[in-house]
Amino acid sequence: MAVLFNQETQVFMLQTQHCAYQMKVAEYGVLLHLYYGQRIDDCDLSYLIQRTDRGFCGNPYEMQQDRTFSLDYFPQEYSCFGIGDYRTDCVKVINSDGSCAVDYRYDSYEIKKGKYRLEGLPSLFAEEEEGETLIIRMKDIHTHMMLELYYGVLENADVITRAARIINGGKAEVVLKRAMSMCLDFPHDHMDWIHFYGKHTMEREVERSRLIHGRQSICSERGTSSHQHNPFVILCDPMCSEDAGDCYGVGLIYSGSFLAEAEVDQFHQTRLVVGTSPDQFSWMLKPGEGFMTPEAVMIYSGEGFTSLSHRFHYMARKHLIRGEWAKKRRPILINNWEATYFNFNGEKLIRIAEEAKELGIEMLVLDDGWFGKRDSDYSGLGDWTVNEKKLGGTLKALAEKINSLGMKFGLWVEPEMISEDSNLYRSHPDWAMRIPGRPGNVARSQFVLDFSRPEVVDGIQDMIFKILDEVHIEYIKWDFNRSISNYFSATLPINRQGEIGYRYMLGLYRFLENLITRYPYILLEGCSGGGGRFDFGMLHYSPQIWCSDDTDAVERLKIHYGTTFGYPVSSIGAHVSASPNHQTGRHTPLETRGTVAMTGTFGYELDLGTLSAEEKEIVKRQIEEYKAHYDLINNGSFYRLSSPYGECRAVAWAFVSPDKEECLFCAVMTKLQSNPDGVVIKLKGLEPKRRYQVEDKVYTGEMLMYGGILLPLPKEEYQAWRYYMRAI
Ligand code: DGJ
């Protein structure tokens, strides 16, 4: 049983293979959070809460003369604004009388087999025997506002999910100003927090800092999860390393604006709340209506970041990513973007496909520029009709030609956008998100379509589906190339404008769900100017996401490193591009570009015609190697062996098969030295006593893990090594 309730102690206990989570119904129905960490048996940990009269800490009225019970410092399961808990909170309600307070007290609970799902929002799925659901119902007896706290427990995966539904059980309208997905209170502040920040072309850099008094947060107000901050954070013991220590990862399964906020309070306790961003949010609840928050996924490990990441990777691969492409080997692709940008025609595309086929590439992806008036990024978005003049024929004919070469055909789209210079804009100017009377804010010369309006979503969906019905397209790259601003929806009433951001996401998710249901054979790759919407929400629809518009292999070392803390390698879109690199101007060996792109869903994005015969042989070998190691790379355990932020002159990582039979070790020398020191990298995850064949030598697992591998002396800058190891 993953969910237990002890009537006597009134303690709820959630248990997974390695961890436990505990909460208690205390006096007057206050729901206290007691514990999250290493697995323990049924018990009552409420003795850990210091009950004392603390200055300026008020008490619920019912406590009368008892001053030792205070919401001001007691750990809460879902903290409410306005009733004496001054820390960062989960829910803020403006009642019909104008007051801003809600006081949720325990009402009842329900335990169900199987994990709950959310309607219209992405959420983890599981077979009935793999999960259990706990719903705790709470009520504000004064206003009749109700709350349902959802807990999904996936025992084997060591996952606990949370979501909350806020319901107006009263007789008058109320306005919801804040509704977070989860709250986690810790009785101490011995904590670092790690978050993943960045910018366009440099996403998910790792930042670790000690929590300090007060609130520290990361957020996105951009309408997407964003390049700037990722909706995934880790709280950990200050001593926590890859291999040891307590750490807690929380990811939001949502792709819009979000907030992750940690607060250390006056008594050195820590609280973390994660959910949709409250800044642009308000939601009108009529009597009887409810609001469902997105789902948050929580994973704990007592054995450091590697094990935490392994659990997140397993969760994403098994319980989040869907469809046939979740398990099937994904085709090795050539994308024409960095090869041609907008400057292509049908002939050029066929030449690229022929060259690619020769080398073993399996799919051509036609990127931006094939539709409407789209020879630059100044026009055409929204006009999803094929530019047959440019292609020299129909898209269907082009796809058939590519297919006749024995290759699959994939297509780029950016359905959520509209160019001012487009027929769509001329006929539906109000579909663009713009505040009346203001010129608005253009980015890449485009506006965002108002996907909070169902008719806008349907209009674009019809155009895209018409193409997909006519042409045999087996892959879609779904792009999104600006941040949202100037929120306004022409059809929403004035007092509901705060609902746009969340309604937008519902519209987007509906479109994506329709797409994958109607065309289950299509492999969807998410993209937002690279990795601007790299999150667990998008992964529910697209098994892979273009990780960054930065294709520089050396910068990608950092981007991949940060991304793998939460996300599996099978989700990381990575391509070999030209040298010098188009974003940085850096020269790197082709083998290095191959090695780095193999930490992901492998492909090429360069003019293959410019490669020498020798380089073409390298490409052929890379493709063979990637295919041979596909399972190991995409379903094996991923180990970060040396950090791009560390002292070591090489960045190294490895993939180990679940049975520890095979390992692929990769390293890139990032810093050259004259008269160089030796660089030794220690492997992880092998069987100590087993013998592994590495090229023409044999080592035991313990030699490789405790002694390590001595990298050869580099012959050039950014040299890479890949060693395949097999147990003998
Ligand atoms: C941004 C993407 O990330 C690129 O790969 C490319 O598809 C361009 N958009 C096309 O406009």
Side-chain angles (χ1 to χ4, degrees), residues 550-702:
D550 185 351
T551 59
D552 176 310
V554 175
E555 298 225 304
R556 276 281 185 130
L557 289 172
K558 269 192 178 172
I559 299 170
H560 289 185
Y561 174 84
T563 304
T564 61
F565 275 82
Y567 303 95
V569 168
S570 64
S571 68
I572 297 178
H575 300 165
V576 173
S577 63
S579 177
N581 176 266
H582 291 191
Q583 291 81 45
T584 60
R586 194 197 313 263
H587 292 258
T588 46
L590 182 53
E591 279 295 18
T592 303
R593 284 173 273 148
T595 304
V596 175
M598 282 188 205
T599 318
T601 62
F602 190 59
Y604 290 80
E605 190 165 333
L606 75 171
D607 184 352
L608 296 170
T610 61
L611 296 183
S612 66
E614 193 192 333
E615 286 174 319
K616 285 185 175 167
E617 284 312 308
I618 295 178
V619 170
K620 277 187 192 164
R621 280 204 306 277
Q622 287 176 346
I623 290 170
E624 280 316 309
E625 207 177 315
Y626 185 74
K627 282 187 194 161
H629 301 322
Y630 185 86
D631 242 357
L632 180 55
I633 292 172
N634 288 280
N635 299 316
S637 303
F638 180 76
Y639 290 89
R640 294 174 292 267
L641 300 178
S642 83
S643 158
Y645 296 92
E647 299 283 292
C648 182
R649 292 193 294 118
V651 178
W653 61 99
F655 310 88
V656 179
S657 63
D659 58 9
K660 298 173 192 277
E661 282 270 325
E662 292 177 278
C663 167
L664 179 65
F665 166 85
C666 304
V668 175
M669 186 66 76
T670 47
K671 295 172 203 118
L672 291 184
Q673 261 183 353
S674 72
N675 196 10
D677 317 331
V679 177
V680 172
I681 309 276
K682 294 182 179 176
L683 262 293
K684 290 180 183 174
L686 301 177
E687 205 55 77
K689 299 294 175 201
R690 279 182 105 162
R691 286 148 48 82
Y692 292 86
Q693 181 88 41
V694 187
E695 298 192 325
D696 57 351
K697 298 201 178 62
V698 173
Y699 303 87
T700 56
E702 56 192 13

Side-chain angles (χ1 to χ4, degrees), residues 139-205:
K139 216 185 231 169
D140 182 323
I141 51 164
H142 305 286
T143 59
H144 306 290
M145 285 297 290
M146 296 185 295
L147 169 71
E148 290 172 349
L149 294 177
Y150 285 79
Y151 297 84
V153 186
L154 305 181
E155 198 169 349
N156 285 334
D158 274 313
V159 165
I160 297 176
T161 63
R162 289 194 59 176
R165 185 152 182 265
I166 293 130
I167 305 148
N168 181 359
K171 291 200 165 34
E173 283 174 1
V174 301
V175 179
L176 195 54
K177 290 296 295 170
R178 180 171 167 118
M180 304 306 278
S181 299
M182 59 78 65
C183 174
L184 202 49
D185 277 359
F186 297 90
H188 61 84
D189 65 351
H190 309 296
M191 291 261 188
D192 281 357
W193 94 312
I194 301 177
H195 58 96
F196 303 85
Y197 72 99
K199 59 181 176 187
H200 177 227
T201 71
M202 198 64 208
E203 298 89 340
R204 289 169 296 286
E205 291 227 47

Side-chain angles (χ1 to χ4, degrees), residues 179-182 252 254 257-261 273-278 293-294 296:
M180 304 306 278
S181 299
M182 59 78 65
L252 191 64
Y254 189 65
S257 298
F258 74 93
L259 171 70
E261 186 160 65
V273 295
V274 176
T276 53
S277 165
T293 70

